[in-house]
Amino acid sequence: MNFETPPLVETFSDQLDRFIELEVEPLEAEHDQFLGETGEQSLLDADGRVCEEYLSVMDEIQRASVEAGFYTMHMPESVGGGGLSLLEFTMMMEHLHDRHPDGFHEDIVDLLSVTPALLPCHDDEYQRERFFDPVMDAEMHLCFGLTEPDHGSDITHMETTAERDGDEWVIDGTKCFITNSTFADAIMVHARTSGEDGDPRGISSFLVERDNPGWQQGKVQRAMGGDVGRHAFNHFTDCRVPAEQMVGEEGRGFMDAAMRLVGWTRLHLTAKCVGRAQWLFEQCVDYAKQRTSFGEPIGTRQSIKNMLAELRTDIEQTRWLYRHAAWRYDQGENPRWEQSAAWLRGGELWNRAADVAIQVHGGAGFFRSLPFEGEYRAARAARIYDGTDEIQRRTIANQFLDR
Ligand SMILES: Cc1cc2nc3c(=O)[nH]c(=O)nc-3n(C[C@H](O)[C@H](O)[C@H](O)COP(=O)(O)OP(=O)(O)OC[C@H]3O[C@@H](n4cnc5c(N)ncnc54)[C@H](O)[C@@H]3O)c2cc1C
């Protein structure tokens, strides 16, 4: 066993810090209306969507990120990516998020667009030219449509259907809560093409472009925090797509694309939670050393020490959960319950860290002049998306109950 940080991750992390300093921080200074305690107000247009000015800043960062090799660092070298292993990539994600959350650094990678779910498109000339290459070059943004108003955890019961009509597929149904669907150029949408309700087989994936008249953007869904202005209902009515826009094999979209993506996503999201929690912990330690009450630093009080000790222990536990699961994935295994265990702890960790940060900072922690209340709101979604806490527990227990 070797617990050292791989040299590649150390070098790449230094390069990432330098990239943020040179390419991202100047844009933050130029567009500081999107940051700080009133940032969210400037970010949204009149309809509640993330505004055009912010999207053009995001595009600028992503084009620079493509040039610097960060944007596709997790994709295989054989398709033009950076070829990082999942362990290396998740460690990079922890590093990316172990910093003040109020900035544009999250835009350096767009993990909804450039995902392993898109890999089958590389092998198909039509899909490579129309979707894969533009996504890898940050010229096209995708969103990922699975969830429906009546089906989330039980998504294999989805009601969206696609029927073959000559050279086309005709999609009908509604997807909701879809991140980035307020601005994405295309959506990877999942629909039942055959099979029984509840069967993961028979669900296929399709790429639908924004200008398709059968895809209508519905109501924007205003989020509690985090990535505000990005979620919406998406309606598909007699939505005709050429047969060439089915991704992968017919009937295997959910099993191949969605399930592969979910395991991968749960680990890089856990790494993000660890990075965020580590940064919040450091803020608490600094504050506990300098804030005094009754003439003594609050860090001398056992109740404050307890909060810090528990949080630091949880961070370490979760860090090694995600790293071990990522390492097993890199060995070609399918560490399904370990991915769920990591993500279960990851979402809880980020929530607890934000809560502790508010508590340690007292009244100051509650107000928007510090970033902790924003973290508290953003973290809450991590116990819901990519499978709720309850679904992670179900997956873990079922592994041992042979279900
Ligand atoms: C910020 C955010 C971004 C999102 N982005 C996307 C996106 O980009 N694309 C996309 O497709 N979806 C997205 N989602 C949707 C997300 O994946 C679903 O919300 C999630 O899977 C839960 O589904 P649901 O909301 O329908 O809840 P439900 O499935 O209705 O669950 C309601 C409650 O019942 C519990 N429950 C359900 N079934 C069981 C069970 N068998 N055992 C025990 N408890 C159970 C759940 O844990 C939950 O507490 C996003 C959600 C959020 C909050």
Side-chain angles (χ1 to χ4, degrees), residues 112 144-154 176-179 231 381 384-391 394:
L112 279 167
F144 195 81
L146 261 181
T147 307
E148 302 183 351
D150 290 329
H151 301 286
S153 303
D154 63 345
C176 63
F177 308 143
I178 308 306
T179 309
H231 307 92
I384 299 169
Y385 54 62
D386 280 88
T388 63
D389 285 2
E390 293 72 29
I391 292 302
R394 178 179 183 263

Side-chain angles (χ1 to χ4, degrees), residues 130-191:
R130 205 173 176 101
F131 298 100
F132 190 85
D133 289 345
V135 165
M136 292 283 281
D137 292 340
E139 285 163 4
M140 175 181 258
H141 293 285
L142 290 184
C143 58
F144 195 81
L146 261 181
T147 307
E148 302 183 351
D150 290 329
H151 301 286
S153 303
D154 63 345
I155 196 58
T156 53
H157 294 261
M158 68 172 60
E159 291 167 40
T160 301
T161 56
E163 285 185 17
R164 186 80 191 232
D165 183 14
D167 292 340
E168 295 177 324
W169 286 92
V170 186
I171 306 171
D172 283 282
T174 294
K175 301 288 176 181
C176 63
F177 308 143
I178 308 306
T179 309
N180 292 356
S181 64
T182 52
F183 64 85
D185 306 295
I187 183 168
M188 187 184 280
V189 64
H190 299 266

Side-chain angles (χ1 to χ4, degrees), residues 329-347:
Y329 182 98
D330 290 336
Q331 309 309 305
E333 297 177 37
N334 178 15
R336 203 155 168 237
W337 81 262
E338 290 93 331
Q339 285 162 339
S340 284
W343 183 221
L344 174 64
R345 287 289 177 261

Side-chain angles (χ1 to χ4, degrees), residues 278 281 307-317 319:
Q278 181 70 44
F281 173 78
M307 280 192 265
L308 297 180
E310 292 293 336
L311 181 56
R312 188 63 186 78
T313 305
D314 287 349
I315 290 170
E316 205 60 16
Q317 164 188 303
R319 177 173 286 139

